[in-house]
Amino acid sequence: MTSKIRILLLGVLIAVFSCNEKNADNNSSQDNNLGHPSLILTKQGVKEIRANLGSIPIFDETLALTQEEIDAEIEKGFDVPLPKDYSGGYTHETHKKNYVLMQKAGVLYQILNNEKYANFVKDMLFEYAKQYPTWPIHPKPRSYSRGKVFWQCLNDSNWLVYTSQAYDCIYDFLTEDERNTLETDLFRPFADYISKENPQFFNRVHNHSTWGNAAVGMIALAMDDDSLLQRALYGYKEAKIDPNLKDNDGGYINREGDMGFYANLEEPFSPDGYFTEGPYYQRYASYPFLIFAQALQNKKPELKVLQHKDGVLLKSVSALINLSDADGEFFLLNDAQKGMSYRNASLVSAVDIAYHFGGNNPELLSIAKKQGKVALDDAGLAVALGLKAGKEKPFNKKSIELSDGANGNQGAVGILRSEGLELVFKYTAHGLSHGHYDKLSFALFEDGDEVVQDYGMSRFVNIEQKGGGNYLKENTTWAKQTVAHNTLVQNETSQFQGKYDIGSKHHSNKYIFSVNDSVQVASAKEDNAYPGTKIQRTFVTIKDKGYDKPYVLDIMRVSSATSNHYDVPFYFLGHIMQTNFEYTKLNTPQILGKSHGYQHLYKEASALVNEGNVKLNWLLNNKFYSYTAICSNNDEVIIGRIGANDPEYNLRNEQTLILRKKNAKDALYVSTIESHGTYNPVTELALNAYSNIDEIKVVHNSKAYTAVSIKTNNGKTNVFILSNENSEKEAEHKLTINNKVYSWVGPYTFTENQ
C-alpha cells in the first residue's frame, strides 16, 4: 500500500469514527430490507464495512482512491450543461461524468458518514431537477430513440441506473419536501420519458432495453413505487409500436410476447449463460442486469431474481470470463471493440455480485484480484473479506462449448484451449442487431495475442472526431459482411444476402464438441447461409508429442446444388516471411469487388496454383507461424488488404490471404495452422522458423467420411478421420483407406505415425 493511500485511509477512518453516527444507530435498529440504503448497499452492509475498514486492503485502497477523486471534484464544482453533443463531446461526457460522480459520492456518504458527500449529490440532483423539465428532446437526430440528457435513451438510462443508487444513499439525508421535489420534477418524468414516451426503446429484447428496464426499476425501488417497478419488470403494456420500425442497426423493434426485465433475462441468455449479442455487449449489459438483480435481491428477495432460469445471471459471469483470452480481453464475436476486458468497471461489479450471491466461488476471487478493485458495497466487502482470508483459487479457463438461444438449441460458441493456443469457433444464432454475417468463422489467439483475427466493429467508441464516437457506415458495409471474417463466401455475396431479416431467422447447428488431452474437436453445420448450399466445418487441435506446441487442423466441406465461386479469407496478423508459391504483385492494387465488403478490399498480389499444398510463413510478436492449405489445379490465391473506398481512413489497413475456387459445386478446404518458432531481436537468432508440417493430403472424402493425413518433418504421418453424418459417441465405424482398415467408436478418430 502506497504512503499516499495510507494517508487517505487514515482520513477515511477518522471520518468514519468521528462523524455523527445518528444514521448508523437508526440503521441498526431497522430490518435490513426496509428503509435506505437498500439497493447496492444495505444498512447491515454499511455497518460491516465500517467495522472492517483498515483491515481489508483491496476495499480500503478502492475507497481511498474514490475519496481522493470525489474530494477533488467537490473542490472544482460541477456543471450541468444544456445537452447538444454526440458521444465524446463536452455535454455528453460531462453528464456521463456527473452520474458516476453522484453514485460514488452517495456511497462515500454512507461509508464515511460525511455530509459533504450527501450535499454534493443533493446539489447536483436539484440542478438537474431545475433544468430537466426545460430541456427539449436531444438535438442530435441519429437515434431511433432520442434522449433528453443524451442523444439516445440508452445513455439517459445509464444516467438513471447510476443516479438511483446515489438517491438511495442520501434518501434519509433529504427532507420529505426535498424528496417530493426530486421525484416530481426529475425522477418520475425521467422514468416516464424512457418508458412511456419511448416504448420502441423500452419494450424490446435487447441490451438497450435492459438498461431502460433497470433504470426504471431501480428508481422505482428507491422511491418504493411498486407500480413503476411492475413496468420495469414486465414492460409498458399500453404501447402501440409500428411493426415495421427498425433500430439504427437494422433490427426490428416491435415484437410479440413478453417484455420488460424478465423477458430480457429469459430470451438473450442461453442456459449456459451465453448472451446472444456476444461478449462485448454482454459486458455492457452485465452492469444493468446484475446491479438491478442485486437491488431486487436486497429489496425484494421474494422475487428470487438471481435464481431465475436456474441462476442464469450468476452463470453468465463465469461464461463471460471464459469468453476472454489469456489477458482477460473478450473475444470479438459480433460487434465488438478490441481491447475490452474483464477489468472494465461493469465487470468489477459483476464479479463481486456473482461471488457474494453465488456461493462464494473462490475462482472469482482471483479475477477480482486481477481487476485490482472492488465495488464499494456489500458485494465488494464480501470479495475483500474473501481475499483477506486467502480463499482465492485460480480461474481455470478450459476448452468449453457455450450454447446459444434461450433454450440452448440455437448453435453455440466453441473454444478450444491447448497450451497457450485459444481457438474461438462461432456457430451461433445471429446475435440480434449487433450480429455479423459470419457463420462458421473463427479466430486464433496465442498467450493473449490475436494471431488470426476477427475484425470486430468499425467504431471508435466515444472518440468524437470519428462519427461522434458512434458506429461508422463501414460497420455495415465492411465489418458485418462475410468477407471480413474467416469463413466461406459464396459468389462474392454475404451470407443471408447480408440481410438481418433473413439472418435473424437462422442459426448454425452443433455437431461435435469433444476434448481430451491430445486431440480436441469442434464441428458444426450451416445449411441456410446460402440457398441450396450446405457447409460443415471442423476444427481440431492436435498435440504432437514430437513438438513443443499443438497445431490446428481445419476441415470445411461445402456441397451445393449449383456451381459457385467460393472464397475463404484468412486474416493473419503479422509480417509475411515467405510463401512456397510464386505470386504476381500488382504495381497498382485493384479493388476486389463492388459490394458485400469486397469494395473495401484491395487485391495486392495473386497466384494460380496447382494441386498440392500452399504455405504461408509469417512473423508476429517475434513468433513464427505457418499456414498450410490443400489446393486444386487452377485455384487462385489472393493476397489482399483492407482499406479500399475508405476516404476518411475509418478502416484498419490489415492484410488477408484468400483461397478462391471457381465454378465448383462441391468443395473441400483443408488447412493447418502452426505456432512453431521464435525470433530474439537481442541475440538476432531465429529458432524453428520453418513449418513442422511437410504435407497434408485428403486421403478419403465421401458423403460419410473425410480423412486427412498430416506428414510432419520428424518422419511421422498422422491420420484424422471424421464421420460426416453420425456424431453419436457410441457409433461404430469402419473405413478402408489405401488397403488399411480403420475401425473406431465415436464421430472421429486420430491415429499417429501411420
Side-chain angles (χ1 to χ4, degrees), residues 396-415:
N396 188 13
K397 289 190 283 190
K398 301 178 181 178
S399 296
I400 190 171
E401 184 178 54
L402 296 168
S403 63
D404 194 5
N407 298 312
N409 59 357
Q410 295 182 22
V413 172
I415 304 168

Side-chain angles (χ1 to χ4, degrees), residues 441-453:
S441 66
F442 83 102
L444 183 67
F445 296 75
E446 183 175 20
D447 298 328
D449 295 323
E450 281 185 293
V451 178
V452 182
Q453 71 154 337

Side-chain angles (χ1 to χ4, degrees), residues 264-285:
N264 275 288
L265 186 59
E266 186 69 31
E267 292 189 33
F269 285 104
S270 78
D272 294 331
Y274 177 75
F275 187 67
T276 193
E277 294 182 58
Y280 182 81
Y281 276 95
Q282 182 172 350
R283 172 273 322 171
Y284 181 61

Side-chain angles (χ1 to χ4, degrees), residues 134-145:
T134 71
W135 287 343
I137 295 174
H138 197 282
K140 295 297 185 183
R142 184 176 295 176
S143 176
Y144 74 99
S145 58

